[in-house]
Amino acid sequence: MKVGIIGATGYGGLELIRFLHQHKEVESLQLFSSSEAGESFSAKYPHLEGLYDAPMEAIDEAAITKLDVVFASTPAGVTSKLLPSLVNKGTKLIDLSGDFRLQDRALYEEWYGKEAAPADTLSQSVYGLTEWNADAVKDAALVANPGCYPTAVLLSLLPLIKHRLIDPSFLVIDAKSGVSGAGNKPSQGTHFSETNENFSIYKVNKHQHIPEIEQAISMFAGADVSITFNTHLVPMTRGILATSYAQVMPGVTQAQLVACLHETYANDPFVRVVTEAGAIGTNRVKGSNFCDVFVQLDERTGRATIVGVIDNLVKGAAGQAIQNMNVQCGFAQTTGLHVVPLFI
Amino acid sequence: MKVGIIGATGYGGLELIRFLHQHKEVESLQLFSSSEAGESFSAKYPHLEGLYDAPMEAIDEAAITKLDVVFASTPAGVTSKLLPSLVNKGTKLIDLSGDFRLQDRALYEEWYGKEAAPADTLSQSVYGLTEWNADAVKDAALVANPGCYPTAVLLSLLPLIKHRLIDPSFLVIDAKSGVSGAGNKPSQGTHFSETNENFSIYKVNKHQHIPEIEQAISMFAGADVSITFNTHLVPMTRGILATSYAQVMPGVTQAQLVACLHETYANDPFVRVVTEAGAIGTNRVKGSNFCDVFVQLDERTGRATIVGVIDNLVKGAAGQAIQNMNVQCGFAQTTGLHVVPLFI
Amino acid sequence: MKVGIIGATGYGGLELIRFLHQHKEVESLQLFSSSEAGESFSAKYPHLEGLYDAPMEAIDEAAITKLDVVFASTPAGVTSKLLPSLVNKGTKLIDLSGDFRLQDRALYEEWYGKEAAPADTLSQSVYGLTEWNADAVKDAALVANPGCYPTAVLLSLLPLIKHRLIDPSFLVIDAKSGVSGAGNKPSQGTHFSETNENFSIYKVNKHQHIPEIEQAISMFAGADVSITFNTHLVPMTRGILATSYAQVMPGVTQAQLVACLHETYANDPFVRVVTEAGAIGTNRVKGSNFCDVFVQLDERTGRATIVGVIDNLVKGAAGQAIQNMNVQCGFAQTTGLHVVPLFI
Amino acid sequence: MKVGIIGATGYGGLELIRFLHQHKEVESLQLFSSSEAGESFSAKYPHLEGLYDAPMEAIDEAAITKLDVVFASTPAGVTSKLLPSLVNKGTKLIDLSGDFRLQDRALYEEWYGKEAAPADTLSQSVYGLTEWNADAVKDAALVANPGCYPTAVLLSLLPLIKHRLIDPSFLVIDAKSGVSGAGNKPSQGTHFSETNENFSIYKVNKHQHIPEIEQAISMFAGADVSITFNTHLVPMTRGILATSYAQVMPGVTQAQLVACLHETYANDPFVRVVTEAGAIGTNRVKGSNFCDVFVQLDERTGRATIVGVIDNLVKGAAGQAIQNMNVQCGFAQTTGLHVVPLFI
């Protein structure tokens, strides 16, 4: 297969390269950039010297539509304009930005503060939460790859909401992310001396992943919810851990909660149900496409603590995107992704 | 004043030394250790070379009761046995362990798994959450210095619960701490290579600070609550940030929430009400005795996000202990503590 | 191929698993442990849940000699006793400890403070600095995999010494390592709160890698040297950067130094000659088997700065060991190792 | 005393504030900024909320010359233009930039790539390496506060060179710094995700502190030297550790080396001679004005390893500047600086 990446210079792009490099079905990999076309990729990223030395190519429709699959890994607001004309030209498209995730254009414009993608293209896009939507992904011309936070939150919460084990009326989701989620552009908020040894909260009640999570809970678990969702910055590079809280439904036991997770993901190679709290941590999934999920009922209060853990750059971005490509192309989901987490 | 520290070799002890060293009312500082008596303090902690080279002293009742103030900074289960015979001998006692915080002995034994302190000594101990209990601290022979998490949680939540601005029936508290809270004893869970670049959850629903927080909410805000409280380990050394969630009472506005915090702490030098989310972070209080508090109402859901931030070793331990000493001794609360946070 | 790892629970073992898991010639992987036999591997290391759940096996000669290749990744002093009886039984052996690196038994005993391996086994061992000794490795029954520091130092220095471009009479080598080099056993020196945000020097002039480096310089570059070599601990998990200093020989130019490195490694897939100082850093090789080398002549002083950079756990341990296995077994050196560095 | 800081928004400025806040002789502190005049200081730096809320003042000669002491903490190239007209107007000046350190204007222009300060002002400036130049500092109208690296290097090397215990003809200095030395301006090279978990070398043989070190060795130790000096970036915020290497003179012993350091600094409160390698590390001086020095002779090679450790923002900048102010004003050197290192 011939594969391309638009916006390869971001961290999502780097991770796509890292995994596609080892993907046995990928024959060639072309890197596109709007602003840095012509520049050698390894001149920008010396860790790829000897691996990806060729110059980046300008974004060109003719070149792109010759490819089998194209990943778009650009900031929000770019692919809503770039991809519509590429849909249904025979090239499978996977968008890692937020532009095609929200089906409600008004909602996008409210939370992103940008113009939404055209309605007709939106209606053809499929939300690529692979474990929950593989059938639709299979035939999708355009996959909207989920956000990093929604992936960790939804994989841990959806089974329990869908099976009515927890009460969706008061869902509190407290999420924490490593700094790589902020991308590769320097700013005061990601300046080493002020980020290192600092734990902070950001975008209080305003994160654009809120409507994405609510839409997916409605879509996959049939519950219309208003979540409380906050995000924090952890002084580390990779990893998301989302801790959610909800009242369990009357009579629900710890065993039922755990069984629900086990049953839901019995055939999913990348979701692991962890039963020891001590085994939950971002380094257990680091560099891999795993999502570890955990639930613990507090008998004292009748509330459950539900945890989802991912590597934000892998299962939260590039890894899930390749998992979706595998589904679209009929490969095993694990092709190119069956790696051991780094741990240290 | 002549001051002593029992258990000086822990991190709480080190911070007591750091601040007492600069305290203008402290004339001498004696360091006691059960296991390391006779060893030079700076031989163990070379950063104190030239400052505290004298050998540590054995714990001796006669020596201790000659002092004006003694801080006990030992693990749980030690001071419950050590301090009872020292109470009311003329030496002011400040205990940084958890042994005298819970008035209910059964509760202590359930959550700590150790024998509780004698009831008569317990009844003389005063819970040293300075901003809320200074009058009682003033005359206390034995101050039970609050836990690190409870300090951050209570200072941010108490005003809002007391004034019935938030609904205490469903309180979710998601707390995060730097690794120094685990003390100075090496373990797999604090081994650098497995702690660095790892964010994890621990003691799910089982942290011994749960009953301490519930007791204080009852005591100071008159509400009997069952909190949901979880703790996470952040790959940094210092700092606690606790994010709490609750429904606000009908009609309550953001302005009321903020005003409540401002009014509560108008005369407290160490609590700062922060109104910009971007200004909340553990590095803003690092090395200082400040507690920064923040509240944000989400109009969409009617729930409030409430944040408390401290340096766990200062306001969460040594700093608050010295603040209590200042109150006990009639000094200004800021004596020896009026330092600028490090930030970087 | 059937492959085994003795001492799989160390960090070297974890990295062997990570790479062997993806090695297309490896059919089965058995994990041996002396102290933890019978325990599920993933119970100890939950990041491997679903991947390596089987119990570890006791170290058993009969079981081991049925394998094609066995890696020994145990502390110094263990394999010197364990491996002699396994040599020449048809199983290829690769030892990651220091026990078979020094051919001079007295030198081993002086620097390691342990009894050296038997002379006859030592004489059959081959020093596995792959780029410099592949011919000997090919036929070796027992490969002594190089130390982490020696790998970074030798790959950068050997070409310049061998070709007499730098003066070996005054070689200063200042090396820095991430904390994972200290292994997985907790100690005060690797306790997070005292290691984080601390840069320190250790084993001043006493590191056991000194004689290993000197032996290899003599063996591969024909120069008998007494190096000055010091090691420092960097508050990060992975990576070694070694900075060496030497006077260049009269008339030697920067171009000659760079050309020498380029020519030496023209056909070596894992050594990259970096020509921009800004492109040198441990994150450029993180998680990969690359060694980046760099040289810069200071015209002002006539001295060269020579840098070698590796991931200590990969090229400095498990990666190079697998590279040696590939050579022993006649596979391409890059088999199972052709991965893209993580960078972030 | 009335004190001012020009360029208060840099990290040097923040540390000046942190220490001057506690300095008993400082009655008022005015903060000046060229670009941010009028802005509230704590609006920019919320950790100072409640402490320094007043707006910054424009840089105004009349306002400045009313002060007793003014610190200039601006980037290189600014004070060379700003300070000349302020000299000898009755205000003591302490410049933390590099503009007045090099007496040779051509050397400044070569290494800094900027126009040098006027010769007549330069000739009035005194190099403020306090331990070695206090007599001159005492009467100085303008103190050129030393660079961070030179402070660590010179305090450790000068005694041994001056007393001819080491051979100055081949001095190798390998220095490592935390990231705060790069200042508060975001850049790719200080972006968290690319700086964290990365150890790198920078400005190979080109650091502008090279001529400063050489000038000081000539000035204070009477030796004209050409040093080899390289700098590395450590993924931590604070701290410099410089490791130097030199041949010792014939017959020199370890005891003589240590004695020389002890005798040199017998009366200096901020230099500590450390005799255990295990006690050397940047966290032992963190947040304090200490410089720890160490020397170890390697009998095997006849070479000495010499180490100097400081907090780059304190002894390497703001702390030493205040130490110089104390000398200029006739206060004890330790006034306002006698703090205990943070260690953790």
Side-chain angles (χ1 to χ4, degrees), chain B residues 180-217:
Chain B
S180 62
N184 69 348
K185 205 177 148 202
S187 72
Q188 210 66 45
T190 56
H191 188 52
F192 182 86
S193 299
E194 301 180 21
T195 306
N196 181 40
E197 296 295 291
N198 186 30
F199 184 88
S200 59
I201 189 169
Y202 69 101
K203 289 194 188 176
V204 180
N205 298 319
K206 289 186 184 150
H207 201 289
Q208 71 277 10
H209 287 165
I210 291 174
E212 181 180 340
I213 295 169
E214 292 179 350
Q215 172 187 283
I217 290 176

Side-chain angles (χ1 to χ4, degrees), chain D residues 217-236:
Chain D
I217 291 177
S218 174
M219 192 188 317
F220 298 119
D224 288 327
V225 296
S226 286
I227 60 169
T228 293
F229 174 75
N230 275 316
T231 50
H232 302 77
L233 201 61
V234 185
M236 63 182 188

Side-chain angles (χ1 to χ4, degrees), chain C residues 176-200:
Chain C
K176 303 90 177 173
S177 175
V179 182
S180 62
N184 68 347
K185 208 179 146 201
S187 72
Q188 211 66 44
T190 56
H191 188 51
F192 182 86
S193 299
E194 302 182 20
T195 306
N196 180 39
E197 295 296 292
N198 186 29
F199 183 88
S200 60

Side-chain angles (χ1 to χ4, degrees), chain A residues 17-244:
Chain A
I17 293 172
R18 194 164 73 85
F19 282 102
L20 291 171
H21 182 76
Q22 293 184 264
H23 196 291
K24 66 179 180 178
E25 307 288 351
V26 175
E27 173 199 320
S28 74
L29 183 54
Q30 278 173 271
L31 309 178
F32 298 90
S33 169
S34 55
S35 56
E36 303 175 277
E39 195 188 334
S40 155
F41 200 77
S42 67
K44 181 170 176 74
Y45 283 120
H47 71 286
L48 294 171
E49 189 165 326
L51 300 170
Y52 292 91
D53 298 323
M56 288 175 269
E57 299 173 42
I59 299 175
D60 172 74
E61 198 168 316
I64 289 171
T65 51
K66 278 184 201 133
L67 302 172
D68 296 294
V69 180
V70 163
F71 296 91
S73 184
T74 56
V78 175
T79 52
S80 60
K81 294 180 177 53
L82 191 66
L83 295 191
S85 66
L86 298 171
V87 177
N88 295 326
K89 295 276 169 64
T91 301
K92 291 173 170 52
L93 303 174
I94 301 171
D95 182 32
L96 283 82
S97 86
D99 284 5
F100 293 93
R101 294 183 198 147
L102 298 182
Q103 286 297 327
D104 181 336
R105 298 182 75 241
L107 217 50
Y108 178 91
E109 297 184 351
E110 177 191 342
W111 288 85
Y112 283 80
K114 293 175 199 291
E115 199 194 339
D120 58 337
T121 314
L122 262 184
S123 69
Q124 297 182 67
S125 81
V126 168
Y127 189 66
L129 188 69
T130 330
E131 283 76 10
W132 288 79
N133 216 18
D135 283 348
V137 166
K138 207 174 199 166
D139 302 318
L142 170 55
V143 170
N145 209 57
C148 50
Y149 286 119
T151 298
V153 169
L154 293 168
L155 290 177
S156 54
L157 280 182
L158 282 178
L160 307 176
I161 300 176
K162 182 181 173 193
H163 294 282
R164 302 292 180 258
L165 298 179
I166 59 174
D167 179 353
S169 70
F170 193 157
L171 270 180
V172 168
I173 305 165
D174 189 282
K176 304 89 176 172
S177 174
V179 183
S180 61
N184 69 349
K185 206 177 149 203
S187 71
Q188 210 68 43
T190 56
H191 188 52
F192 182 86
S193 299
E194 301 180 21
T195 307
N196 181 40
E197 296 295 290
N198 186 30
F199 184 87
S200 59
I201 190 169
Y202 68 101
K203 290 195 187 175
V204 180
N205 298 321
K206 289 187 187 151
H207 201 289
Q208 70 277 13
H209 287 166
I210 291 174
E212 181 180 340
I213 294 170
E214 292 179 350
Q215 171 186 283
I217 291 177
S218 174
M219 191 188 318
F220 298 119
D224 288 326
V225 296
S226 284
I227 60 169
T228 292
F229 174 75
N230 275 315
T231 50
H232 302 76
L233 200 61
V234 185
M236 63 183 187
T237 301
R238 286 171 183 252
I240 280 178
L241 187 150
T243 317
S244 300

Side-chain angles (χ1 to χ4, degrees), chain D residues 271-337:
Chain D
V271 183
R272 302 189 296 193
V273 182
V274 177
T275 53
E276 292 291 320
I280 279 282
T282 59
N283 65 356
R284 268 70 181 212
V285 300
K286 191 162 79 175
S288 83
N289 200 47
F290 286 117
C291 174
D292 283 356
V293 297
F294 169 85
V295 62
Q296 182 68 53
L297 172 62
D298 182 10
E299 302 279 0
R300 213 177 66 94
T301 58
R303 290 172 214 141
T305 301
I306 305 128
V307 181
V309 188
I310 60 170
D311 183 322
N312 58 308
L313 296 176
V314 188
K315 184 62 177 170
Q320 185 158 237
I322 294 172
Q323 191 182 353
N324 282 322
M325 177 190 84
N326 288 339
V327 171
Q328 283 177 298
C329 298
F331 308 143
Q333 282 191 26
T334 53
T335 312
L337 294 171

Side-chain angles (χ1 to χ4, degrees), chain C residues 169-170 174 176 194 197-199 210 214 226-228 230 232 237 243 245 282-283 300 303 305, chain D residues 169-170 174 176 194 197-199 210 214 226-228 230 232 236-237 243 245 282-283 300 303 305:
Chain C
S169 69
F170 192 156
D174 189 282
K176 303 90 177 173
E194 302 182 20
E197 295 296 292
N198 186 29
F199 183 88
I210 291 174
E214 291 179 349
S226 285
I227 60 168
T228 292
N230 275 315
H232 303 77
T237 301
T243 316
Y245 300 93
T282 60
N283 65 358
R300 213 177 66 94
R303 289 172 213 140
T305 301
Chain D
S169 70
F170 193 158
D174 189 281
K176 303 89 178 173
E194 302 181 20
E197 296 295 291
N198 185 30
F199 184 87
I210 291 174
E214 291 179 350
S226 286
I227 60 169
T228 293
N230 275 316
H232 302 77
M236 63 182 188
T237 301
T243 317
Y245 299 94
T282 59
N283 65 356
R300 213 177 66 94
R303 290 172 214 141
T305 301

Side-chain angles (χ1 to χ4, degrees), chain C residues 14 55 64-65 81 89 93 95 107-109 119 123 131 208 225 232 235 248 254 258 264 271 281 307 314 333 335:
Chain C
L14 290 183
I64 288 171
T65 51
K81 293 180 178 53
K89 294 277 169 67
L93 303 174
D95 181 33
L107 216 51
Y108 178 90
E109 298 185 349
S123 69
E131 282 75 10
Q208 71 276 12
V225 296
H232 303 77
V248 299
Q254 168 69 8
V258 173
T264 303
V271 182
V307 182
V314 189
Q333 282 191 26
T335 312

